[in-house]
Amino acid sequence: GLKKKEVNVLCLGLDNSGKTTIINQLKPSNLRLYGPLSDDWKHVSQTQTQDIVPTIGFNIEKFKSSSLSFTVFDMSGQSRYRNLWEHYYKESHAIIFVIDSGDKQTDRQTFFTCSLVFLLPPDICSRRMPVLLFANKSDLREAMSSVKVSQLLCLENIKDKPWHICASNAVKGEGLQEGVDWLQDHIR
Ligand code: GTP
Ligand code: MG
């Protein structure tokens, strides 16, 4: 059949927001993607979310959608590694930005700083790079809705790039497919 188009995606967001958990769910070894799990398989999927540790630097992962073959740069969100982010914008076709929507520390200023970091590096300002945001940890009782998160991030001000926000629960894999479908439709 036709070879899938290869695209690079940069996965950004503060530490502990759930980036690696999301990417792990999208990887093909996760049987969750193929339907409800029988008890026999549950331990396989649990291992995939339990073994996750804070990312050092970044990891490179691959997964496929129906028409694209994704290479994801899963970056560390820790402040000491955030200077790595800018080196990968140039090669990227899209950004996945993950927010911990249950994080009480994630105040307006933090959001503002993050959004500046990922939206305004000088050499990509002019590029029409789709931005997919996950308002992750939607299962937490104190979680903000995706509408609330998009207000805090002032997403309506983004006019030069297509963007989309999905509520997600990365531990259960909920909301991720909607996001990947949107990405697939908006990457050129
Ligand atoms: P860094 O690599 O340090 O930048 O962090 P990260 O963004 O990759 O976060 P990671 O995927 O390591 O997840 C951090 C913690 O949040 C882990 O304990 C995950 O199990 C947990 N977590 C991730 N997604 C969710 C979610 O949707 N709901 C809940 N309740 N916990 C989540
Ligand atoms: Mg990580």
Side-chain angles (χ1 to χ4, degrees):
L2 276 177
K3 201 165 180 297
K4 292 176 198 268
K5 183 184 169 187
E6 308 256 351
V7 296
N8 295 334
V9 176
L10 193 53
C11 185
L12 307 176
L14 294 178
D15 46 300
N16 200 50
S17 54
K19 299 178 292 299
T20 303
T21 311
I22 288 174
I23 303 306
N24 262 34
Q25 289 283 18
L26 296 172
K27 276 159 43 177
S29 49
N30 198 327
L31 294 154
R32 242 179 232 287
L33 290 176
Y34 303 108
L37 292 182
S38 69
D39 285 344
D40 288 353
W41 288 110
K42 276 195 175 120
H43 68 283
V44 177
S45 182
Q46 275 164 9
T47 314
Q48 203 147 10
T49 51
Q50 278 170 1
D51 288 353
I52 291 168
V53 294
T55 306
I56 307 293
F58 63 92
N59 295 316
I60 299 176
E61 305 287 359
K62 287 177 184 287
F63 68 89
K64 290 184 166 72
S65 67
S66 54
S67 66
L68 298 176
S69 175
F70 291 91
T71 298
V72 185
F73 291 75
D74 172 21
M75 307 302 290
S76 167
Q78 291 178 57
S79 54
R80 75 186 106 153
Y81 296 118
R82 266 177 243 153
N83 61 343
L84 293 173
W85 294 6
E86 60 187 284
H87 299 292
Y88 298 92
Y89 283 113
K90 208 178 263 161
E91 314 299 328
S92 300
H93 298 86
I95 293 176
I96 295 177
F97 194 74
V98 183
I99 296 127
D100 176 349
S101 46
D103 184 359
K104 290 257 165 51
Q105 312 282 326
T106 312
D107 60 9
R108 195 176 280 272
Q109 185 53 44
T110 312
F111 270 120
F112 183 62
T113 314
C114 288
S115 54
L116 280 186
V117 167
F118 88 96
L119 291 172
L120 296 175
D123 54 331
I124 68 145
C125 266
S126 56
R127 280 178 49 200
R128 198 193 148 283
M129 188 154 58
V131 180
L132 169 65
L133 301 102
F134 284 115
N136 194 38
K137 308 199 184 184
S138 62
D139 54 301
L140 299 179
R141 203 160 45 86
E142 64 274 25
M144 292 176 281
S145 68
S146 57
V147 171
K148 179 82 184 153
V149 171
S150 65
Q151 284 166 352
L152 284 170
L153 280 168
C154 301
L155 295 182
E156 71 279 13
N157 292 341
I158 306 176
K159 311 270 194 231
D160 56 342
K161 296 175 178 45
W163 59 269
H164 182 70
I165 186 164
C166 299
S168 63
N169 172 352
V171 173
K172 290 208 164 152
E174 291 165 3
L176 305 181
Q177 196 57 52
E178 179 199 331
V180 173
D181 290 347
W182 182 86
L183 257 193
Q184 168 167 289
D185 290 346
H186 287 82
I187 287 178
R188 293 183 169 164

